[in-house]
């Protein structure tokens, strides 16, 4: 769902964690196919070198979607040891708006696995991390793809851009 939404946005770069690459494979997405539409950065440098692009005004916003409970916890606690968490930290330091589609924002979540729909019950600590992240400046946390789309429509309207 997140990739389907990204495909409707103008000029999107994808910053993939190692876990994201594994999940893309599980859902039968191929990097070679994604490269036809997106510039892709992979989490394969110790210093997260691609974050340097943020210092030169290449981006107006950051979207982390979907964000696992692990990524949300790291972002909420200021830990930046993966490419997505480094991107989030740099967005904050550069005062860019960040939009986080957090997977665990409600006491009960119905989500699609590679083979079926499953019901999950996020832990209290996961809900607390999402709530903490909501209090960050210039950070919008959403719990659904529809919420993400609405937030991005609003952001693009401020930039006089649009979905395709």
């Amino acid at each position: 769902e997140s990739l389907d939404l990204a495909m409707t946005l103008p000029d999107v770069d994808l910053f993939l964690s190692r876990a994201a690459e594994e999940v893309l494979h599980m859902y039968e997405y191929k990097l070679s196919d994604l490269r036809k539409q997106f510039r892709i950065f992979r989490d394969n440098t110790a210093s997260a070198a691609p974050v340097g692009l943020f210092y030169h005004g290449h981006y107006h916003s950051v979207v982390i979607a979907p964000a696992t409970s692990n990524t949300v916890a790291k972002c909420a606690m200021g830990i930046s040891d993966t490419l997505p968490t480094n991107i989030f930290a740099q967005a904050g330091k550069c005062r860019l708006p960040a939009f986080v589609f957090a997977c665990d924002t409600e006491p009960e979540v119905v989500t699609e696995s590679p083979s079926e729909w499953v019901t999950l019950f996020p832990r209290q600590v996961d809900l607390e991390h999402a709530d903490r992240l909501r209090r960050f400046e210039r950070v919008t946390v959403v719990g659904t793809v529809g919420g993400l789309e609405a937030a991005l429509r609003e952001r693009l309207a401020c930039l006089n851009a649009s979905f395709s």
Side-chain angles (χ1 to χ4, degrees), residues 111-125:
T111 187
E112 187 177 10
S113 75
S115 61
E116 63 186 322
W117 287 88
V118 295
T119 301
L120 302 175
F121 303 93
R123 304 168 301 168
Q124 185 61 36
V125 69

Side-chain angles (χ1 to χ4, degrees), residues 3 15-31 34 42-43 68 114:
L3 273 176
F15 294 82
L16 302 176
S17 66
R18 288 185 204 123
E21 288 192 53
E22 289 176 5
V23 171
L24 286 172
H25 181 71
M26 283 188 255
Y27 285 88
E28 299 182 358
Y29 282 98
K30 295 180 181 175
L31 284 180
L34 293 174
R42 298 170 67 196
D43 197 355
T68 64

